[in-house]
Amino acid sequence: MKKTMAKLLAVFVTMLCAAACAAADEARTYAAAHVDQSWVCSTFGAEMNDDARDAFAALLQDGDSVTGGVQVDIYNRDGTSGRLGSFMLMAVKRGEDALLMAARSGKAFVAAVNFLPADECEIKEAVTHAYDGDVLHVSPGIYAEGKVWKVIPYREGIAVIDSFVCGIDGGTMELAFGKPEDRVEMIVRRGEDVQVTDFDCELPKDIAAWTAQTFPDAPEDMEAWVAEHPKE
């Protein structure tokens, strides 16, 4: 475990300090500063948009209730290309269960069951910004109780947690799941004080491995999880 003081740091939080979510179906566009990419995002409720209906038709059952979702379409930075790909994530109530359904470029799957109650979360885009405010990446996000899970659907039928942000006493905690594999970066911010800890561990990135209650949401919880699950 290595602890350092960060000076210039990519911020994995727009998530907590983002502006209020725009109205359903209103498109929002984000352009990347450093790569030729942009994202067009729209949220939806029980009345899914056409792309969502097509993607999830085979997974939905009679009696299912869609409580919300987001579609993130990928284009080149100028928006002059055809659609290069898309991410979708939505929350569904099915009897006593709460399902997260995800899709990547139209290929849909059930990402998690009972991660959290479907009517207690908001699904919308989560934006990763650099320290200077530039947009780095956009994907679906799960917002609940001041916590945000940034999720990337993969073609292999898994939804990977890319990063996580929550409030803690006196500041925020961020977890970044990036390259190299088996590495988690924990960023704790309290005012101008920023502490970064790198963990070498095999923390599951698939959201299906967790519930919102079991996911570490405090520095001591993350440290305890690593201590209890040493890398073999």
Side-chain angles (χ1 to χ4, degrees), residues 86-213:
S86 67
F87 303 138
M88 280 190 254
L89 187 69
M90 72 179 189
V92 177
K93 291 179 67 174
R94 177 176 293 173
E96 298 298 317
D97 291 327
L99 282 63
L100 286 173
M101 293 186 181
R104 183 174 182 130
S105 296
K107 185 176 180 180
F109 56 93
V110 176
V113 180
N114 296 330
F115 178 75
L116 41 64
D119 53 1
E120 294 182 12
C121 68
E122 184 176 11
I123 309 293
K124 58 184 179 181
E125 72 270 18
V127 185
T128 300
H129 282 89
Y131 69 92
D132 58 2
D134 287 342
V135 174
L136 296 178
H137 189 261
V138 182
S139 68
I142 303 168
Y143 294 69
E145 299 181 346
K147 305 172 186 178
V148 184
W149 291 264
K150 187 169 182 282
V151 176
I152 300 178
Y154 278 77
R155 292 183 180 85
E156 294 79 4
I158 60 173
V160 168
I161 302 170
D162 183 65
S163 60
F164 169 73
V165 183
C166 68
I168 58 173
D169 184 32
T172 62
M173 181 186 83
E174 306 161 32
L175 299 177
F177 303 79
K179 301 294 184 180
E181 295 297 329
D182 303 331
R183 175 69 59 86
V184 179
E185 184 178 62
M186 181 174 73
I187 307 157
V188 177
R189 304 172 185 276
R190 291 185 172 93
E192 295 184 357
D193 182 57
V194 182
Q195 297 285 339
V196 180
T197 305
D198 287 333
F199 296 105
D200 286 314
C201 61
E202 297 180 1
L203 189 77
K205 298 177 180 66
D206 186 349
I207 199 167
W210 301 96
T211 67
Q213 291 71 35

Side-chain angles (χ1 to χ4, degrees), residues 43-112:
T43 48
F44 55 86
E47 295 297 324
M48 295 181 289
N49 61 33
D50 291 342
D51 285 346
R53 277 192 292 270
D54 290 344
F56 295 112
L59 297 179
L60 291 171
Q61 300 179 6
D62 290 342
D64 285 354
S65 174
V66 176
T67 62
V70 67
Q71 177 172 345
V72 179
D73 291 328
I74 307 166
Y75 297 86
N76 66 11
R77 188 189 295 122
D78 296 329
T80 56
S81 67
R83 187 168 65 180
L84 302 175
S86 67
F87 303 138
M88 280 190 254
L89 187 69
M90 72 179 189
V92 177
K93 291 179 67 174
R94 177 176 293 173
E96 298 298 317
D97 291 327
L99 282 63
L100 286 173
M101 293 186 181
R104 183 174 182 130
S105 296
K107 185 176 180 180
F109 56 93
V110 176

Side-chain angles (χ1 to χ4, degrees), residues 9-31:
L9 190 62
V11 180
F12 294 89
V13 196
T14 337
M15 317 200 229
L16 284 182
C17 54
C21 184
D25 298 324
E26 179 182 337
R28 298 167 296 284
T29 300
Y30 304 85

